Each structure stands twice: as structure tokens, then as C-alpha cells.
Amino acid sequence: MAFLSISGHFFNTNLFIFNIKYLTMVGLWPNDDWGCNKMYIYKAYEIILHILSVIFIIVTGIGTYNHKHNITILMTNLDKSLAAYNFVLKIFFFVLKRKQLKNLINEIRNSGDEVRPKRRYLMVIHVIMITLVSTIIVATFSMLSQLKGEMTLEAWMPFDPLKSRFSLLLAGQIIVVYFLVPCLYRAYAIQGIVCSIVMYLCDQLVELQQRLKSLSYSEEREGIVRDEFNEIIKKHVRIMRYSKIFTNIFKEFFLIQNLAVTIELCLNALMVTIIRFEEKTLLATFLGYLGLALINAYIFCYLGDELIIQSTGIAQAAYESGWTSWPVDMQKDLLIVMRAAQKPLTLSAGGITIMCIQTYSQALYNAYSIFAVLNDVVD
């Protein structure tokens, strides 16, 4: 109980504090209040991580090219490298839009909006769990590769990694240094802040629905009800603006996410048709990384679906309020709110599609269709 009390106080002192600290630790969120010396050191740390992620892409690209005649190794390497390419692209666009995101977060913090304690814990637990699960999966398959005397991921090394057990272990450690912090942890730090902001938007929309339903008009309380109604309208407009800014910042992020999952599904469908169930360890590797990719995709699509439901729920809440006894001018204002709420707030993936459960289901259906066609071709 004491731990919950202390941690509850920590998470309630500042909205998104855990996400910001995570981003800072992985070199993606410099503090504007730092002095020049500390800022220079942090910038150097950030640049080093950028360079490491680029080196990882280069050396794995060379490793993949060197095995272009072995279809199994080629596809396996592409499947594992895809995660890094996905993460690095997300990091690139995040850094480009970081200033806009900082302005949005500062505005949210200064708005006075509150988030339920349970939701704050969920924001933190989500980031911790997805980071732990990803680390365990990567570590497990890395150890399996070491035991089998194979490279975890085919990559160029300045020495022969298969020369001895020590060389293989050293090569595995180098890949981990290139991948975990520069790619994996940074990507999940970004995912944490993205999911937390969407949760915040959904919570504020739920609160607006409750406030609309609880409006009770009477002549004696007319002034109070009008003030409350005006505050609801102002907040609704503000939340819609936040959502628009947020979507503009992360539209490339969601587009990359959709493309990565689609390619991942296609690669796995192709590999399953080629290797069948003969190489169980290799198949388990594919399914492990695929499962992680699908979990991440589901999280984004679920939150996108929740944002659509809660934003359109404003119109239903407005209709369920006691508007029939309101003055005509308030009824007209309520009608404007209902019309605005009928256009849902969405998470756009580069303007091509939106993040929702329907998109997720369509991706799975397309993957199965590809698998069925490839299976017929192989047979």
C-alpha cells in the first residue's frame, strides 16, 4: 500500500512524466531548461545513438546481401531487420516533429485537464510491459542462436564471427548494442507517448459526455448551466484541435506502422509456405516476431477505434441531455456540437487509411489471402 501511495503521488505530479523520462533516457527528449554543457553532452549522446542505428541498418544490409543466394537466410534476415528499419524510420520522423509535440504536450499540461489514476497506471504499465516482452523475445532468440552456433542476425563484422565461440558471442553483443537502445527502446519510448496522448484524448471525451448528460437546466440555475455549457463547448473545441495537431505530427508514424505490419505478414506467409513445419526453430522465430508486431499493431488500432467511439459519443451524449427544456439559443448551440461530433476524430496513417479495428482485421484478411495464394503456387 505504501508503494502504491508513493507511486501514485509520483505519477499524479505531472501528466506524461514517465513517458518523458523514458524518452529522455533513450536520447529523444532534451530538456530546454538544461545548461549549455549538459545540453551539449546530451546532444552528443543523441547523435551517437542515431549513428549506431544507421550502422545497424548498413551492416545488416551487407549481411543480407552476402546471403542473397540462400532464400531461407535471406528471408529470415529481412524479417528480423524489418523491425529495425521500422523503428529507425519512426525515430527519424519523431525527431523532425519533436518540437511540435513538445508544444502540444506543454499546452495539454497547462490546460488543467486531469486523467484518472487508473489510466495513468495503464499508461506506465503499457510501456513497461511491451518493453519487457520485446526484450525477452529478442534475448530468447539470441540465446538460441548462440547455443546453435549461429548468428542472431546476419551482419557484416570486421572479423569472422563463426571462428570461435568467443567471436560469436562478441558479434551477438555488438548487434545488441546496435539494436536494443538505438532502435528497440527508443521506438517503444515513442510508442509510449503516442498511446498515452490517445488515452488522454479518450478520457477527456468521456468526461465531456458525462458533463453533457448531467446538465440540468432550470430558470433558477440558468446562469450556472450556461457557463457550464460554454465550458464544455470550449473544451470540446480544444480537444478536437489537440487531436488534429496530434494526427498531423504522427501521420507518418502510423503509415510506417501499417506498412511494416503488412510487409511482416507477407514475409511470414511466404516463409511458412517455403519452409513448412520442417524447421521448427526458424518457424518459431518468425512467429515470435510476427506476434510482437501484431500486438503493437493491435494496440494502435484499438486506441484509434476507441478515439472514434468516444468522439462520436459526444453527439449521443448531447442528444441524451435534457435539451428539450433549454432555451432556443442553447438548443442551436447544442445542435452545432452534435453536428461537429458526428465527424469522428481519427488517427490517420499518412492520409491513406485510419487506425481502427476494421483496418487491423483487413490486414489479417489480406495476409491470409496472400498465404493462400502462395501456398497454391508452391503446391
Side-chain angles (χ1 to χ4, degrees):
M1 293 298 292
F3 170 76
L4 291 176
S5 176
I6 294 171
S7 60
H9 171 74
F10 176 76
F11 294 129
N12 282 319
T13 54
N14 203 342
L15 193 59
F16 310 131
I17 186 169
F18 181 84
N19 305 107
I20 298 301
K21 284 184 177 293
Y22 194 173
L23 286 168
T24 302
M25 288 174 60
V26 295
L28 288 175
W29 201 268
N31 192 327
D32 297 331
D33 297 330
W34 286 341
C36 291
N37 292 335
K38 192 171 183 179
M39 184 64 77
Y40 286 143
I41 294 172
Y42 190 83
K43 281 293 182 182
Y45 169 62
E46 180 180 356
I47 291 170
I48 289 171
L49 291 180
H50 288 330
I51 292 172
L52 286 176
S53 61
V54 172
I55 290 175
F56 179 82
I57 289 177
I58 292 172
V59 298
T60 54
I62 295 173
T64 302
Y65 179 79
N66 289 338
H67 294 83
K68 60 182 180 294
H69 299 299
N70 188 323
I71 187 63
T72 302
I73 297 178
L74 176 67
M75 298 301 293
T76 303
N77 227 50
L78 283 175
D79 181 63
K80 294 177 181 178
S81 302
L82 178 64
Y85 302 153
N86 170 24
F87 293 159
V88 171
L89 280 174
K90 287 179 179 178
I91 293 166
F92 172 75
F93 283 108
F94 178 85
V95 173
L96 286 181
K97 302 288 187 75
R98 183 168 57 192
K99 187 174 181 181
Q100 298 176 44
L101 180 61
K102 279 191 173 185
N103 294 334
L104 175 60
I105 288 177
N106 288 334
E107 191 172 345
I108 290 173
R109 284 173 165 176
N110 296 328
S111 67
D113 293 337
E114 291 292 332
V115 175
R116 293 171 296 169
K118 287 184 179 180
R119 180 68 82 178
R120 288 177 183 263
Y121 282 118
L122 184 59
M123 290 176 179
V124 175
I125 290 171
H126 157 257
V127 181
I128 293 175
M129 289 304 298
I130 198 69
T131 302
L132 285 176
V133 170
S134 303
T135 303
I136 291 170
I137 289 175
V138 172
T140 300
F141 289 120
S142 296
M143 286 188 290
L144 284 174
S145 298
Q146 290 288 329
L147 291 174
K148 292 176 67 177
E150 300 173 350
M151 285 282 287
T152 306
L153 180 65
E154 294 298 332
W156 176 85
M157 293 289 164
F159 55 88
D160 183 5
L162 301 180
K163 185 178 180 180
S164 64
R165 177 66 67 177
F166 175 77
S167 299
L168 185 62
L169 183 61
L170 180 60
Q173 290 175 342
I174 291 173
I175 291 175
V176 166
V177 170
Y178 285 157
F179 180 68
L180 280 183
V181 176
C183 298
L184 186 72
Y185 292 159
R186 298 175 102 195
Y188 285 129
I190 296 172
Q191 179 173 327
I193 193 67
V194 169
C195 294
S196 294
I197 293 176
V198 179
M199 290 179 192
Y200 155 80
L201 294 174
C202 291
D203 267 16
Q204 301 312 305
L205 290 168
V206 169
E207 184 205 349
L208 286 175
Q209 293 176 38
Q210 294 171 348
R211 289 170 66 181
L212 272 171
K213 292 178 181 179
S214 64
L215 282 178
S216 179
Y217 179 84
S218 64
E219 292 184 359
E220 295 79 10
R221 300 182 66 253
E222 181 175 355
I224 298 173
V225 174
R226 282 184 179 275
D227 290 341
E228 174 68 10
F229 185 51
N230 288 335
E231 289 298 318
I232 291 173
I233 293 176
K234 289 178 182 178
K235 183 168 183 177
H236 186 216
V237 172
R238 179 163 56 82
I239 295 301
M240 288 192 294
R241 182 168 59 83
Y242 287 169
S243 177
K244 185 177 180 180
I245 295 171
F246 175 80
T247 301
N248 183 59
I249 294 172
F250 287 104
K251 59 184 178 182
E252 294 90 359
F253 177 94
F254 291 122
L255 178 61
I256 294 167
Q257 173 67 35
N258 267 3
L259 290 175
V261 171
T262 302
I263 297 172
E264 181 81 23
L265 288 168
C266 291
L267 281 174
N268 277 268
L270 180 59
M271 283 306 299
V272 169
T273 55
I274 292 174
I275 66 174
R276 301 291 179 173
F277 295 98
E278 297 168 3
E279 300 184 42
K280 294 182 180 179
T281 304
L282 186 59
L283 186 61
T285 304
F286 272 96
L287 294 178
Y289 285 112
L290 175 62
L292 186 60
L294 290 177
I295 290 172
N296 287 327
Y298 178 79
I299 290 171
F300 289 125
C301 289
Y302 171 80
L303 290 174
D305 210 58
E306 188 69 12
L307 184 62
I308 293 172
I309 292 171
Q310 299 306 336
S311 60
T312 53
I314 296 291
Q316 182 66 28
Y319 180 76
E320 292 177 0
S321 64
W323 59 269
T324 53
S325 61
W326 294 7
V328 175
D329 62 319
M330 287 183 64
Q331 291 181 356
K332 290 180 179 179
D333 291 340
L334 186 67
L335 182 60
I336 294 173
V337 172
M338 293 173 68
R339 288 176 63 87
Q342 287 174 354
K343 183 179 180 181
L345 304 180
T346 58
L347 304 179
S348 173
I352 297 175
T353 186
I354 61 173
M355 305 298 289
C356 62
I357 296 299
Q358 184 178 357
T359 302
Y360 185 78
S361 302
Q362 187 64 45
L364 295 180
Y365 175 78
N366 291 341
Y368 176 76
S369 300
I370 293 170
F371 171 76
V373 171
L374 290 173
N375 193 43
D376 290 341
V377 171
V378 172
D379 289 341

